Amino acid sequence: MALRLNNVYKVALINFFSSLYFYLPVLTIYYQRRGLNFVQINSLWGIITATIFLAEIPTGVIADKIGRKKSVMMALFLQLIGEIAFIFAQNYLHFILISVIAGLGFAFQSGCIQALVYDSLKEKGKEKEMAKASGVTEAFYQSGHILGALLSTLIVSRLEPGRITWAIILTALSVGVALVISLFIREPNLDYSHPEQSPLKVVKNAVGLIRANASLKRIIWLGVLTTPFVGYLRNFHPPYFLQNNVPPVWLGLSLGAGGILAVIASKNAYKFEASLGVSKAMLTATLIPGIIYLLMALTLGPAVAFLLFTLNFGSMSLQEPLFADYYNRHINSQIRATALSAINMISSAYIALIGLLIGWVADQRLTWAFLLMGGIVILGALTFRINEKHVVVD
C-alpha cells in the first residue's frame, strides 16, 4: 500500500502514526509527580525549541544536501529514541536530555517535511495545491492526536504509574511504524541539491532571501507573534480543568474533540481563505486563539471550560496550512528546507524565551498566564495583518 501512495499521503500517514500519543492528556500530571513545577515543565518545551533554534539551519542545510527522505527518517529515528528514553526517565535532568533529543528530531523534520510536500507537488506542476495538501497532512496529524487522546481515556484514566508507562510504550511502537513508512518515501525529482555550494553560502542565500523580501518578512512576523502556544496550552490543560472542576476522564475526550475540530479546520483552511480572502481569513485565523485565551482566564464552570479548551485546540490548526502555503510561495527549491528552517528557528527562539515567562506567571496564577498569551496573540494579529499583495509572487 505504501508503495502505491504518493508522497503527500505517505507524509500524512507518517504524521498520523508519529502523533499517536497515548499519554499527552496526563503529561503535566506525570511531570508533577516527578517533582516538576510549571517553570520547569514549560522550560522543557523551551529546551526543545532552543535545541531547534540551534539545529534548524544545520538540519535544513543537510536536508537540501542529502535529500528530504533521509532527513525525515533521521527525525523519526530521533523521535523513537526519545520515546524509549522517556520510559525510563525519573527526574528533571532526564527530561532535559530527552527534550534535547526531541528538539533535534523536530529540527530535522520541520523544514524538510514542508519542502518534501511542496517539491513533490511542484514536479507535477501542482504547487498551487500546497494549502490543500498541507491541510491533508495536518488533518492526518490531528487524527493521530484524536485517536491517541480518546484511547488514553481507557489506558490512563486511573492515572496509575504502570498504565502511564504502557501508554509511553504504545506511543514508541507507533513512532516505529512511522519510521518504517518513511522508508517508502520517494525523493522528488527536482534539482534542489547543490554540492558546489558550501553550507555557509546556502545559509547566506536563505537569510538574504528573507531579509530582502518585505512581504515574506511580514508573514514571518505574523506567524511568530501569533503562534497559538499549543504546547503550553497542553501543559495547562489538567490544572485548567481542575480549576473549573472538570472530571479527569474529560482530559482525553477534550483533546479528542479538539482534534476533530482541528482536522476539519486544517482540511478546509484553503476553502476558508477562498471564501473570505487572504486579509480576513488570516486575521480571523490568528485572532481566534487569542480571544479564547482571554475567555479561559475566567472561571466559568466545567461545561464552558471543556468547550473553550476544545474550541481553542481545534481552531489553532486553521492557520498552519495557510502559513505553509504563503512561506513556500516566496522560496525557491534550491534553498527551501534551509529557508523554512530559518523561519522555524526564529519562531523557536521566541517560543523558548516567552515560555519561561508564561511558566513563571502560571506558577503565580494560571488565569494570568491565559491573559498574557491571549494579549500577545491579539496584539500580533492586529499589528502584522497581511493581505493579497503579501502572498502573490510575480
Side-chain angles (χ1 to χ4, degrees), residues 88-342:
F88 305 100
Q90 294 296 323
N91 56 50
Y92 183 49
L93 178 58
H94 293 164
F95 292 125
I96 288 175
L97 295 175
I98 293 168
S99 297
V100 171
I101 295 172
L104 288 172
F106 286 140
F108 265 104
Q109 190 173 14
S110 62
C112 69
I113 280 287
Q114 284 189 20
L116 173 68
V117 172
Y118 190 86
D119 285 338
S120 296
L121 294 171
K122 187 175 181 179
E123 70 174 342
K124 297 180 179 179
K126 297 181 178 180
E127 60 267 34
K128 291 184 178 180
E129 296 183 12
M130 179 60 186
K132 183 177 180 179
S134 185
V136 170
T137 59
E138 176 68 13
F140 272 73
Y141 174 82
Q142 293 298 341
S143 296
H145 274 300
I146 293 169
L147 183 58
L150 293 177
L151 290 178
S152 74
T153 62
L154 301 175
I155 300 171
V156 296
S157 60
R158 286 184 283 180
L159 305 180
E160 297 173 355
R163 285 177 172 268
I164 295 177
T165 299
W166 272 110
I168 299 170
I169 292 172
L170 290 174
T171 300
L173 291 173
S174 181
V175 174
V177 172
L179 178 58
V180 171
I181 294 173
S182 71
L183 298 174
F184 299 97
I185 290 175
R186 186 184 62 80
E187 195 73 44
N189 187 26
L190 288 177
D191 185 22
Y192 57 77
S193 61
H194 35 71
E196 75 285 354
Q197 295 184 8
S198 68
L200 183 61
K201 186 172 182 180
V202 177
V203 173
K204 184 178 179 180
N205 289 342
V207 173
L209 168 67
I210 294 172
R211 293 181 62 183
N213 191 323
S215 292
L216 179 57
K217 278 195 293 186
R218 190 173 184 88
I219 296 169
I220 291 171
W221 278 116
L222 177 65
V224 170
L225 295 179
T226 60
T227 182
F229 302 117
V230 62
Y232 302 141
L233 176 63
R234 288 200 191 102
N235 289 345
F236 299 147
H237 183 198
Y240 172 64
F241 271 25
L242 179 64
Q243 179 177 287
N244 285 273
N245 300 312
V246 183
V249 70
W250 291 94
L251 285 169
L253 294 176
S254 59
L255 273 177
I260 292 172
L261 287 180
V263 169
I264 296 171
S266 59
K267 285 196 69 174
N268 292 281
Y270 72 101
K271 295 180 182 178
F272 181 72
E273 182 212 48
S275 176
L276 296 183
V278 172
S279 180
K280 291 181 180 179
M282 285 305 298
L283 180 63
T284 303
T286 52
L287 272 179
I288 289 175
I291 294 172
I292 297 179
Y293 273 130
L294 297 185
L295 294 174
M296 290 176 71
L298 305 173
T299 302
L300 300 172
V304 177
F306 179 91
L307 179 63
L308 288 176
F309 176 86
T310 301
L311 289 175
N312 205 6
F313 189 79
S315 66
M316 290 177 178
S317 293
L318 187 59
Q319 58 179 262
E320 180 59 30
L322 302 180
F323 276 120
D325 182 24
Y326 300 158
Y327 289 151
N328 279 284
R329 291 187 192 187
H330 288 278
I331 304 170
N332 61 58
S333 294
Q334 284 71 25
I335 58 171
R336 190 176 311 283
T338 307
L340 290 172
S341 291

Side-chain angles (χ1 to χ4, degrees), residues 347-377:
S347 179
S348 298
Y350 166 72
I351 293 172
L353 293 175
I354 201 70
L356 296 177
L357 174 61
I358 293 171
W360 179 83
V361 171
D363 273 328
Q364 312 310 308
R365 193 167 180 177
L366 184 60
T367 55
W368 294 351
F370 289 135
L371 289 173
L372 176 60
M373 291 190 290
I376 291 172
V377 171

Side-chain angles (χ1 to χ4, degrees), residues 59-71:
T59 54
V61 171
I62 291 172
D64 283 330
K65 288 282 189 180
I66 68 173
R68 323 304 197 206
K69 175 179 179 177
K70 292 180 181 177
S71 293

Side-chain angles (χ1 to χ4, degrees), residues 41-51 232 348 351-353 355-356:
I41 293 171
N42 272 13
S43 75
L44 293 176
W45 186 249
I47 290 167
I48 290 174
T49 54
T51 305
Y232 302 141
S348 298
I351 293 172
L353 293 175
L356 296 177

